[in-house]
Amino acid sequence: MGIGIIKEFWGFLLERKKWWLLPIVIMLVLLGLLIIFTEGSAIAPFIYTLF
């Protein structure tokens, strides 16, 4: 399911030439992964001080 979304998004970028969307999507994914992996961990208080 996840691979299909990535392929469809990549096809959209190639067809519509909306390359400015790529850094936004990458940053949102990285931020989401950061939130998921630091939830309940020992480094969570240090992450909260960044924001």
Side-chain angles (χ1 to χ4, degrees):
M1 182 171 151
I3 300 297
I5 293 172
I6 294 171
K7 288 171 80 172
E8 187 173 339
F9 180 68
W10 184 253
F12 171 78
L13 288 178
L14 288 174
E15 184 177 333
R16 304 280 186 190
K17 306 279 193 279
K18 302 278 187 187
W19 299 112
W20 56 271
L21 285 174
L22 198 58
I24 296 171
V25 171
I26 290 172
M27 290 305 295
L28 285 174
V29 168
L30 289 176
L31 184 62
L33 289 173
L34 179 71
I35 290 171
I36 289 171
F37 286 130
T38 59
E39 186 175 317
S41 70
I43 61 171
F46 300 110
I47 298 298
Y48 292 131
T49 60
L50 294 175
F51 300 105

